[in-house]
Amino acid sequence: MGIQIDREIFQDRVSKKFGSRQYGDSAVSFSDEVYDAAQDWFDLEKWKTDPELDTQKECRIELSKYIKEKVPPRDEEKAWFVPSFIWVWLAQQVVAFIVRLIIEYYWDDIFQEIESEK
């Protein structure tokens, strides 16, 4: 069946956390790319058969790695009006926050799918 991320569940929290900050609009728009990369990770379903991914922490680490590979925070095109060192920090914060929200929200579904593969 697969897990389908519903961004609307998380977008208010992301907007509240990052939208009011300086460069908040960039952070909130970057979140769309984070959701897309996270959905790609779920669609690949490698997490179902990886015996190392049996805790929320391990899933957060793997999902974060995957997102950072797909949407590198050092991408110069995304930081065209934000100093690059600030953009890298901000992008990493957005990724970490969204990954935590996604894994916590979908953990029961993730765990059930992992168990069904065993």
Side-chain angles (χ1 to χ4, degrees):
M1 177 178 122
I3 294 173
Q4 296 298 313
I5 297 172
D6 183 359
R7 3 181 136 205
E8 297 302 316
I9 294 171
F10 311 111
Q11 199 57 35
D12 285 344
R13 292 178 70 185
V14 172
S15 295
K16 276 184 189 173
K17 182 158 178 84
F18 297 103
S20 62
R21 296 179 179 187
Q22 188 174 13
Y23 311 119
D25 291 341
S26 296
V28 172
S29 65
F30 176 68
S31 69
D32 287 332
E33 294 180 59
V34 174
Y35 292 127
D36 291 340
Q39 187 62 58
D40 288 346
W41 185 77
F42 279 111
D43 291 346
L44 289 173
E45 295 187 346
K46 292 180 183 176
W47 51 273
K48 284 185 176 181
T49 56
D50 187 342
E52 298 292 318
L53 301 180
D54 58 353
T55 66
Q56 287 187 27
K57 181 179 179 179
E58 291 163 347
C59 283
R60 283 195 311 265
I61 290 169
E62 287 304 311
L63 179 53
S64 293
K65 284 181 191 177
Y66 183 82
I67 290 171
K68 289 175 185 176
E69 288 174 9
K70 296 286 280 187
V71 188
R74 294 194 185 277
D75 188 346
E76 297 299 323
E77 292 177 13
K78 292 180 182 40
W80 61 274
F81 70 93
V82 181
S84 62
F85 69 94
I86 292 174
W87 176 252
V88 170
W89 177 83
L90 185 59
Q92 290 173 340
Q93 296 299 308
V94 171
V95 169
F97 184 71
I98 291 174
V99 165
R100 184 178 58 79
L101 292 177
I102 289 171
I103 296 298
E104 285 177 0
Y105 187 83
Y106 290 107
W107 179 247
D108 290 338
D109 298 331
I110 293 168
F111 189 74
Q112 285 178 350
E113 291 201 30
I114 289 171
E115 289 297 312
S116 71
E117 290 295 316
K118 290 183 178 178

